[in-house]
Amino acid sequence: MAHKESAKTAFNILSKNFDLIEKACYENNGDIALSDDLSLDFIDALVRNRLAYYIEGELYVRIHSKVRALVDHVSSRFRFREKHGEFASLLDTLDFALESYHRQKRKVGSEASLKAFDELREVVMDITELLSETVSMYNHFVLDDFSTASDIDERIYQTERCKNELKKINEIFAHLSVSYLIKCTASDPLVDHLLLKVFKRHLDSSLKELNNVNQKLIERLEKLHFDKHIKRLNLVLDDFAKRYADNPAYKPDFSKVPVLPSLCLTEKLPLNSYADFASPRQDYQESLALIAKDSAKKSQEKPPVAKTLDPVIDSRKEEIAVKQDPNETSLNYLFEAVLSDDFKHSVSARECYKIFNVNMKMSDWLFMVMNAAMAQRRSISRHAKYQEIYTIKEPFDGTKFIYDIVFIKD
């Protein structure tokens, strides 16, 4: 990063200008534009101590990658990086190291198996270290308010990329099941301890933490979408406010704005009003009289009393609870509508079957309605006309197949 004789100078430059360097690393990909705000001595010191180098015809200087890595480490800020390719490569290396170890172990009296096991252990440690780094990186990406993108659309894009990256990493590690690791051990106690005790424990905890990070990312993405919606609404309001301030006679043309069909549908609005009984006017005395008459009529009407079944007492003088069948209740509702003078519409037994959701066959329901109608035909005849809707099918000439019973009211 710097020569030995200028190491102290390099660290002093980083310490004195850390805020500026950190901002350049995260907001401009490490680029610092040459402007009047920056002194040339500072730029020359960066280049001279190999902390940065000129790019684009010496119009910019770019911070060295080693310096950016140091800024990532000391500030605990990690930029988004794709890791699934590196994980896939390490898992392929793990498979190769396992095959090499088992192949060397078959050779009797060979010390190469110990060397192969050391290589296997190094690969496992590399995977666990990469997992820890990835979990830490995505945790900081989600939890830290500092962002490399100030635009909401760019932040949403970066967050979706991060979420898709975590999904790919989970898919890569999905095949590392317990059965697969047991198969890889091949009854070897060293590999068994390394994979099932050390590696599996660290793998489970890291993947669990990655899953938690993914859930946090989804919540952050929803928040960003909401912030984007609010931002657009604020822009519309600000634009309208500016136009009205400049031109009070401004009238927007809403005919060109697409309106959702749900906003075009209208329904009847309930209108409530109260009569002025204290000082009534002459032109609505008749309306007030009708309102008073209707209110008096309703006040004299007794509320309907729920019908209750009389208790049944057996020979031991104990009451037996009687529960009315739901189908009988539906039948009672049907004949209440038939015998009511306030209900002016015709009553169909087939429609009542569907409305009351009767729990029996249609033929049984029609037979029950027919028997009940015959039992009280005199009462029904004063309110409605009984009519059976039927068809006659050959060769049973004269046999009626009833498919509905209608009580017709004039």
Side-chain angles (χ1 to χ4, degrees):
M1 192 164 60
H3 296 293
K4 291 183 178 180
E5 60 271 17
S6 59
K8 185 176 181 180
T9 306
F11 278 105
N12 288 334
I13 294 173
L14 293 177
S15 176
K16 293 179 180 178
N17 305 278
F18 184 78
D19 294 337
L20 177 61
I21 295 174
E22 183 187 25
K23 182 178 179 180
C25 289
Y26 289 102
E27 295 186 2
N28 302 317
N29 196 26
D31 296 343
I32 301 177
L34 301 181
S35 61
D36 297 335
D37 298 336
L38 298 176
S39 62
L40 295 178
D41 295 338
F42 168 66
I43 300 298
D44 292 339
L46 288 177
V47 176
R48 186 172 59 253
N49 288 277
R50 299 176 63 184
L51 300 176
Y53 52 91
Y54 287 104
I55 59 172
E56 297 185 8
E58 297 186 355
L59 296 177
Y60 293 86
V61 291
R62 177 168 294 175
I63 305 298
H64 199 279
S65 59
K66 295 294 183 180
V67 178
R68 282 186 280 175
L70 177 63
V71 172
D72 286 345
H73 178 72
V74 298
S75 61
S76 298
R77 301 183 189 274
F78 294 85
R79 288 172 296 174
F80 175 76
R81 297 182 182 87
E82 295 182 351
K83 294 288 185 180
H84 64 273
E86 191 172 355
F87 276 118
S89 177
L90 280 176
L91 291 181
D92 292 339
T93 306
L94 176 64
D95 294 337
F96 178 78
L98 282 169
E99 293 178 2
S100 177
Y101 170 73
H102 291 306
R103 185 170 57 252
Q104 295 295 336
K105 186 181 176 183
R106 296 190 190 101
K107 298 180 182 180
V108 180
S110 176
E111 296 181 355
S113 60
L114 297 178
K115 182 178 179 181
F117 180 76
D118 291 338
E119 294 177 355
L120 174 63
R121 183 166 50 194
E122 290 180 2
V123 174
V124 171
M125 293 299 107
D126 289 341
I127 296 176
T128 55
E129 183 179 355
L130 183 60
L131 262 176
S132 300
E133 180 185 348
T134 304
V135 172
S136 178
M137 179 183 67
Y138 288 124
N139 258 322
H140 285 94
F141 183 87
V142 176
L143 299 179
D144 199 349
D145 294 334
F146 187 86
S147 176
T148 59
S150 58
D151 184 62
I152 292 182
D153 291 333
E154 182 65 23
R155 289 168 60 193
I156 292 175
Y157 172 72
Q158 293 292 342
T159 307
E160 288 180 342
R161 279 186 58 205
C162 190
K163 182 170 68 70
N164 295 332
E165 172 68 15
L166 290 176
K167 183 179 179 181
K168 293 177 182 178
I169 292 175
N170 287 332
E171 291 176 355
I172 291 173
F173 281 91
H175 75 282
L176 290 179
S177 59
V178 177
S179 58
Y180 175 78
L181 294 179
I182 292 176
K183 181 181 179 181
C184 293
T185 58
S187 302
D188 187 279
L190 294 177
V191 182
D192 181 270
H193 180 269
L194 178 63
L195 294 182
L196 295 179
K197 298 295 175 60
V198 179
F199 179 63
K200 191 65 173 70
R201 181 175 64 250
H202 189 86
L203 179 68
D204 290 340
S205 61
S206 299
L207 290 181
K208 183 179 180 181
E209 184 63 25
L210 278 178
N211 185 51
N212 295 334
V213 174
N214 195 16
Q215 297 298 325
K216 296 174 186 176
L217 268 174
I218 294 174
E219 295 176 0
R220 180 187 178 187
L221 188 60
E222 292 177 352
K223 182 179 182 299
L224 286 176
H225 279 292
F226 180 75
D227 293 343
K228 181 179 179 181
H229 176 68
I230 296 299
K231 180 180 178 182
R232 289 181 175 177
L233 289 180
N234 290 334
L235 289 176
V236 172
L237 293 176
D238 293 342
D239 182 69
F240 270 70
K242 184 176 182 303
R243 290 178 182 270
Y244 279 117
D246 297 339
N247 182 16
Y250 170 69
K251 294 183 179 180
D253 185 10
F254 289 103
S255 60
K256 299 180 181 179
V257 179
V259 183
L260 297 176
S262 58
L263 298 179
C264 299
L265 301 178
T266 59
E267 62 180 5
K268 184 179 179 181
L269 297 177
L271 300 178
N272 298 324
S273 61
Y274 299 93
D276 186 8
F277 292 98
S279 58
R281 290 172 53 185
Q282 189 67 27
D283 52 356
Y284 57 79
Q285 286 288 345
E286 185 178 353
S287 300
L288 288 178
L290 292 176
I291 294 174
K293 183 179 179 182
D294 187 52
S295 301
K297 182 180 178 181
K298 290 183 177 180
S299 62
Q300 293 178 358
E301 293 179 356
K302 296 182 179 180
V305 181
K307 295 181 179 180
T308 57
L309 298 176
D310 296 333
V312 179
I313 301 177
D314 61 1
S315 59
R316 297 172 296 179
K317 297 182 179 180
E318 294 182 358
E319 293 186 1
I320 301 176
V322 179
K323 294 183 180 180
Q324 190 172 12
D325 185 47
N327 296 329
E328 294 181 1
T329 304
S330 301
L331 184 66
N332 293 336
Y333 289 156
L334 185 148
F335 282 102
E336 283 182 7
V338 173
L339 299 176
S340 175
D341 293 332
D342 296 332
F343 193 77
K344 305 297 183 181
H345 303 283
S346 300
V347 180
S348 171
R350 194 177 190 88
E351 293 181 359
C352 292
Y353 178 85
K354 298 177 181 178
I355 295 173
F356 298 146
N357 195 17
V358 180
N359 188 18
M360 61 190 310
K361 294 182 179 179
M362 175 66 76
S363 57
D364 297 337
W365 167 253
L366 293 176
F367 183 73
M368 189 167 65
V369 173
M370 185 186 302
N371 290 337
M374 292 300 102
Q376 46 185 336
R377 57 180 178 273
R378 290 186 178 179
S379 300
I380 294 175
S381 62
R382 293 194 296 267
H383 299 275
K385 180 181 177 181
Y386 176 84
Q387 181 179 0
E388 296 177 353
I389 309 300
Y390 61 89
T391 57
I392 299 176
K393 296 183 180 180
E394 300 294 343
F396 305 102
D397 191 10
T399 303
K400 298 179 181 179
F401 291 89
I402 299 174
Y403 61 88
D404 195 5
I405 299 175
V406 181
F407 298 90
I408 303 175
K409 294 189 175 184
D410 297 334

